[in-house]
Amino acid sequence: MDIAILGVYGSAGVAAADELSTHAGDKIDNLYLIDGGEPGGLCILEGCMPSKAVLSSAKHAHDARSDPRVNADVQVNTKETIEDKNKHISSFAHHREQSVKSIAQSDSVQLIEKDGYFRDENTIELEDGSSLSVDYSVVATGSSPNIPSIDGIDQVDYLTSSDLLDMKSLPDSMAIIGFGAIGMEMSAYLASSGVDVTVVEHDESPIDNGSEDFGDELMDIYREEFGIDIITESYEQSVEKTDDGIRLELESTDVHAEKLCVFAGRVPNTQSLGLENITDSVADNWYDDDLKVTSTDSVYVAGDATGDRMILHIAKEQGLLVAENIMREIRGESIGKYSSPEHLVYFTGNGKYPFVRYGISGDEAEQKDDLLTISRKASTDGIFGLKNADKGLAKMVVEKDTGVIRGYEGLHLHADVMLKTMQVLIEQRAEVSNVPSRAYHPTTPELLDGLFREATERTE
């Protein structure tokens, strides 16, 4: 059996390669690791890792300036922040490159640092004109920034998140298209770095995959604490250059800024793979829940290339599953299906007020008679005030009859850390009455203790 992975330097590709390589020389005759891009993948080069560096720097500066107990006029040193980020990212990328090259040490594994595309289901043509005959393939080619079709956008020098994460100096003002995960994270970084920020949000509030009041709370925090101007329920009509920068025409008003940022999500890198030669359409439902491309017998897709749930950890899980499914097929076994609970972490407010969700949301629970939602404001627990972070809220969903914990949402200090606790409880189907409710220190997890106590009282 010969197998090819297209996009091996990303998280999904390297996970699939690592698993499949254990069978190279046995069930697998040749494993081809194909990637003509820069070693590292999105998360390392342009995503979650570099963004953590700039958010961390901005958080330190913002916390110092916004705390009335601290006499400080601290500014973000963007040049030093980006240079320090580059050193770390270079190290991470080198580690990923070495990991892939170590997999390719076997005589049955070949690393091909060229782009490839499908001539047909079992033939991959490389950019040098040579071709490979394969029995199975994995598409793990990642994603790129989505640029919306706005009149005049091709005439202005807009910035994507990738561009922003390399900027050692920032303009005085920026207009931002898109208030999803990228827009929410980057707008706080920019505002904390001294940029006058205006954000365009198409809906009434952001956070599509969470309860509505979390989006409202987030906008209050961004407007009041970060000074960000958020224009809601408005769409872009056109954009044009001006003597001072750009003018963004909206349905409701015009926005003038020095620079335009486009954070309109991401799209799969599938346009130049020759997928039209193997499947009818690369659109909705172009692959099945076992991650096999519809209308093929041997091509799988994983990670951002699926166009859905573009998250590092999901990419790893999917990469591992497609590798396991290929081996199951080779052995004549039934293949597995991919499923993942609703899981989100947005490092909003520079990570001071992260938004998290695991499992069923409060809004979803309200539509079900057998579920109960417990809510709690961060300001209820004094420790948040002591840390000058008393904004935000949390919700927990439990079954009314059993007290089994089914979901958690949080927008507050340390919500990202607390999510691991809630993930374990939800996946173990823990009953809230069996969760220890006492706290040994007056720390932020008291917020969870309060939810546990109230849920126990209301389900007993």
Side-chain angles (χ1 to χ4, degrees):
M1 287 288 175
D2 294 341
I3 301 171
I5 301 174
L6 285 78
V8 74
Y9 277 133
S11 298
V14 74
D18 193 37
E19 173 65 19
L20 289 171
S21 67
T22 63
H23 305 280
D26 180 19
K27 299 288 186 181
I28 300 174
D29 298 310
N30 293 290
L31 176 60
Y32 301 110
L33 312 182
I34 303 171
D35 202 318
E38 185 178 356
L42 170 63
C43 181
I44 290 175
L45 298 175
E46 302 175 1
C48 43
M49 290 186 177
S51 68
K52 299 304 179 296
V54 301
L55 293 177
S56 174
S57 176
K59 181 179 185 299
H60 293 320
H62 174 78
D63 285 353
R65 289 197 307 267
S66 62
D67 194 329
R69 304 166 299 182
V70 179
N71 242 349
D73 184 17
V74 181
Q75 304 300 318
V76 175
N77 185 331
T78 52
K79 180 176 181 294
E80 181 63 31
T81 296
I82 298 303
E83 289 178 351
D84 182 67
K85 179 267 296 184
N86 288 342
K87 287 188 293 186
H88 287 290
I89 296 310
S90 177
S91 176
F92 298 151
H94 176 71
H95 182 267
R96 172 63 61 82
E97 181 180 20
Q98 293 307 115
S99 296
V100 172
K101 288 184 175 179
S102 69
I103 294 173
Q105 292 299 307
S106 166
D107 292 338
S108 301
V109 183
Q110 182 180 351
L111 174 60
I112 302 172
E113 295 185 294
K114 297 180 176 66
D115 290 327
Y117 71 93
F118 290 95
R119 186 188 300 165
D120 57 51
E121 184 175 339
N122 300 111
T123 308
I124 294 175
E125 188 161 321
L126 303 174
E127 59 183 306
D128 62 3
S130 61
S131 61
L132 303 170
S133 295
V134 296
D135 299 286
Y136 289 96
S137 299
V138 178
V139 176
T141 46
S143 62
S144 300
N146 175 48
I147 308 303
S149 298
I150 300 172
D151 186 30
I153 198 165
D154 56 341
Q155 302 300 312
V156 300
D157 296 325
Y158 59 81
L159 302 168
T160 67
S161 58
S162 303
D163 300 319
L164 183 59
L165 290 170
D166 281 333
M167 292 181 68
K168 296 182 181 179
S169 63
L170 298 172
D172 292 331
S173 61
M174 284 190 173
I176 294 178
I177 294 174
F179 203 36
I182 300 171
M184 287 187 285
E185 293 183 4
M186 291 296 99
S187 60
Y189 160 63
L190 290 169
S192 299
S193 301
V195 179
D196 184 7
V197 177
T198 301
V199 177
V200 181
E201 163 60 33
H202 293 169
D203 299 327
E204 186 176 352
S205 70
I207 309 184
D208 295 337
N209 295 316
S211 297
E212 185 176 344
D213 46 357
F214 284 93
D216 296 337
E217 181 79 4
L218 179 78
M219 289 197 297
D220 288 343
I221 292 172
Y222 272 42
R223 286 166 171 154
E224 296 169 10
E225 186 163 328
F226 292 88
I228 296 173
D229 184 13
I230 306 171
I231 301 173
T232 60
E233 298 181 276
S234 189
Y235 281 78
E236 306 83 10
Q237 302 298 301
S238 65
V239 61
E240 65 178 4
K241 288 183 180 180
T242 65
D243 292 340
D244 299 323
I246 62 97
R247 180 181 73 88
L248 179 62
E249 180 188 2
L250 305 176
E251 294 172 314
S252 55
T253 187
D254 288 353
V255 177
H256 294 265
E258 191 174 334
K259 287 288 185 180
L260 175 69
C261 292
V262 180
F263 302 147
R266 301 184 68 85
V267 292
N269 289 330
T270 55
Q271 299 85 354
S272 59
L273 294 179
L275 293 178
E276 66 276 6
N277 297 326
I278 66 170
T279 188
D280 295 334
S281 173
V282 182
D284 293 339
N285 303 317
W286 71 284
Y287 59 90
D288 300 319
D289 53 9
D290 54 19
L291 301 179
K292 182 183 286 189
V293 174
T294 305
S295 76
T296 75
D297 294 321
S298 60
V299 182
Y300 285 86
V301 59
D304 282 12
T306 64
D308 182 49
R309 306 291 305 280
M310 297 184 183
I311 301 172
L312 164 68
H313 307 291
I314 287 179
K316 286 182 173 180
E317 289 180 349
Q318 292 179 340
L320 180 60
L321 176 66
V322 298
E324 292 174 343
N325 275 349
I326 289 172
M327 295 312 302
R328 287 172 181 144
E329 285 204 271
I330 291 174
R331 292 191 296 264
E333 301 170 357
S334 298
I335 59 178
K337 298 179 180 181
Y338 182 73
S339 63
S340 175
E342 191 67 47
H343 169 257
L344 290 171
V345 180
Y346 297 155
F347 292 93
T348 41
N350 294 326
K352 179 179 181 180
Y353 299 108
F355 171 75
V356 304
R357 173 187 171 180
Y358 200 91
I360 298 173
S361 74
D363 282 0
E364 290 173 340
E366 289 181 2
Q367 309 303 314
K368 300 177 181 293
D369 294 335
D370 60 334
L371 297 178
L372 174 68
T373 301
I374 311 297
S375 300
R376 192 173 181 88
K377 288 275 191 180
S379 57
T380 304
D381 297 288
I383 187 63
F384 289 95
L386 289 174
K387 293 177 178 288
N388 193 41
D390 59 354
K391 297 180 177 67
L393 70 152
K395 288 187 177 185
M396 184 171 66
V397 175
V398 299
E399 295 179 358
K400 289 181 180 179
D401 294 339
T402 64
V404 170
I405 303 172
R406 297 291 303 279
Y408 178 76
E409 294 170 283
L411 175 69
H412 54 79
L413 183 67
H414 298 161
D416 53 330
V417 179
M418 296 185 205
L419 184 62
K420 186 62 179 182
T421 297
M422 298 308 301
Q423 175 196 345
V424 171
L425 294 175
I426 292 167
E427 291 194 359
Q428 293 297 313
R429 293 188 58 81
E431 296 180 17
V432 70
S433 60
N434 293 330
V435 178
S437 61
R438 58 185 177 181
Y440 289 98
H441 299 95
T443 56
T444 48
E446 285 188 353
L447 183 145
L448 298 183
D449 296 327
L451 292 172
F452 296 150
R453 286 193 296 270
E454 183 176 347
T456 299
E457 292 170 0
R458 294 177 63 180
T459 54
E460 285 182 338

